[in-house]
């Protein structure tokens, strides 16, 4: 074998070894991270994803999984940075932008959350999940007219599952304008589309309270809480109904439980 052939063979061996290390090591650390995540060892999982992304820094999914793990650990700034890297590497990776929006929303940074959701809505051909989430964030931000527009668009074009949420959110937004009769119709429609949608039933009960019928609110919430005992919105409306009926002790218990559930 000539010197040139020996050199070529050596190069092939080295290239194969490098290729094997690159993919083999990445697979090893990714697998280790997956096992640690499944077992709830998130610190170990994050360290493994960090090793994997150092070996394969252009793998968007590694950065995405690393970001999810960092979020589990409460390291939200690190999670946002990892997710940003994932989005830069794969601009079509929808879950990245949805996850970033969810983190911003949890931190109360609604304008930032809307920025991420706007990108999804404007760049996707059928952004039903993003539209539904954006309508919820717009309601939290007090931008009720825009929320109604998103819900109208979703109701006109979305699938049945998304439409139940859209009718519910549109009802919530309409209550902000005092359009309780229209809101009640939307809540009832959401419930008809998806009878398991507890929030729609709870909001429907709330419209009766605003119409001056706390007894009906109380009955509806009692029935709902028999099957959905953790529904914070139903607890809040039941507490308000009890207060309107003069049951201050019962109201205090329900309102405290509702606050504990974030309602």
């Amino acid at each position: 074998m000539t010197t040139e052939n020996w050199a070529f063979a050596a190069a092939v061996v080295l290239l194969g070894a490098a290729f094997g290390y690159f993919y083999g090591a990445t697979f090893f650390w990714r697998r280790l991270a997956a096992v640690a995540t499944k077992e709830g060892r998130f610190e170990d999982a994050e360290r493994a994803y960090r090793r994997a992304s150092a070996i394969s820094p252009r793998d968007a999914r590694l950065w995405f999984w690393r970001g999810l793990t960092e979020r589990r650990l409460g390291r939200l700034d690190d999670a946002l940075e990892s997710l940003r890297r994932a989005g830069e590497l794969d601009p079509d990776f929808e879950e990245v932008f949805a996850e970033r929006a969810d983190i911003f929303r949890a931190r109360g940074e609604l304008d930032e959350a809307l920025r991420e959701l706007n990108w999804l809505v404007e760049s996707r051909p059928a952004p039903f999940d993003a539209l539904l989430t954006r309508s919820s964030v717009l309601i939290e931000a007090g931008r009720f007219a825009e929320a109604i527009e998103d819900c109208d668009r979703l109701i006109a074009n979305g699938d049945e599952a998304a439409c139940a949420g859209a009718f519910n959110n549109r009802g919530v937004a309409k209550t902000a304008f005092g359009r309780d009769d229209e809101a009640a119709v939307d809540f009832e429609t959401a419930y008809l589309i998806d009878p398991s949608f507890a929030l729609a039933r709870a909001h429907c009960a709330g419209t009766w309270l605003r119409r001056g019928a706390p007894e009906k609110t109380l009955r509806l919430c009692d029935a709902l809480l028999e099957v959905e005992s953790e529904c914070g919105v139903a607890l809040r409306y039941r507490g308000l109904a009890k207060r309107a009926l003069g049951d201050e002790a019962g109201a205090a218990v329900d309102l405290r439980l509702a606050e504990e559930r974030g309602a």
Side-chain angles (χ1 to χ4, degrees):
M1 183 179 289
T2 64
T3 302
E4 290 80 4
N5 288 339
W6 276 111
F8 177 76
V12 169
V13 170
L14 289 171
L15 183 61
F19 184 84
Y21 169 77
F22 180 80
Y23 285 98
T26 300
F27 176 82
F28 170 78
W29 288 111
R30 184 176 62 194
R31 179 62 182 162
L32 203 65
V35 171
T37 299
K38 186 176 181 180
E39 295 176 352
R41 296 183 288 108
F42 300 116
E43 290 282 0
D44 293 338
E46 190 277 332
R47 281 192 291 268
Y49 279 131
R50 192 165 0 113
R51 294 290 295 270
S53 58
I55 297 167
S56 184
R58 299 199 60 77
D59 188 328
R61 291 202 169 271
L62 286 177
W63 285 104
F64 176 69
W65 293 326
R66 176 174 165 177
L68 295 185
T69 306
E70 289 165 338
R71 183 180 184 184
R72 288 280 190 95
L73 293 169
R75 292 163 44 189
L76 299 186
D77 289 337
D78 291 338
L80 287 169
E81 176 60 21
S82 293
L83 292 167
R84 183 190 65 78
R85 293 285 296 274
E88 287 180 348
L89 292 165
D90 185 358
D92 292 324
F93 198 161
E94 293 187 33
E95 291 88 344
V96 168
F97 300 92
E99 187 69 22
R100 281 176 57 85
D102 196 47
I103 292 174
F104 283 127
R105 183 182 181 185
R107 299 206 308 190
E109 299 172 15
L110 300 183
D111 288 341
E112 298 297 324
L114 288 169
R115 184 189 65 195
E116 303 290 332
L117 292 165
N118 289 345
W119 184 91
L120 283 173
V121 169
E122 293 162 7
S123 63
R124 305 293 94 178
F128 300 141
D129 288 342
L131 270 172
L132 183 59
T133 303
R134 189 171 74 173
S135 71
S136 298
V137 177
L138 286 167
I139 288 169
E140 290 180 35
R143 294 161 60 175
F144 302 111
E146 294 170 75
I148 290 173
E149 289 178 6
D150 273 358
C151 293
D152 287 343
R153 179 178 168 187
L154 190 49
I155 290 166
N157 300 290
D159 58 22
E160 188 173 277
C163 281
F167 275 110
N168 180 73
N169 283 5
R170 190 171 73 175
V172 173
K174 285 178 177 178
T175 62
F177 294 117
R179 295 158 59 182
D180 286 339
D181 289 341
E182 294 177 40
V185 172
D186 278 345
F187 294 138
E188 289 163 3
T189 303
Y191 174 61
L192 288 172
I193 294 172
D194 183 358
S196 67
F197 200 171
L199 274 179
R201 296 175 67 190
H203 285 305
C204 189
T207 64
W208 285 107
L209 181 64
R210 288 187 292 274
R211 289 164 163 177
E215 301 91 345
K216 188 163 186 175
T217 298
L218 189 60
R219 287 197 301 272
L220 287 171
C221 289
D222 280 341
L224 172 57
L225 288 164
E226 284 181 7
V227 292
E228 295 284 349
S229 60
E230 296 298 309
C231 182
V233 174
L235 284 165
R236 176 162 59 85
Y237 282 130
R238 189 172 73 173
L240 293 173
K242 287 179 178 179
R243 177 171 289 168
L245 294 168
D247 181 5
E248 284 294 339
V253 172
D254 280 348
L255 293 172
R256 176 179 57 79
L257 290 173
E259 185 176 359
E260 289 174 1
R261 288 158 178 75

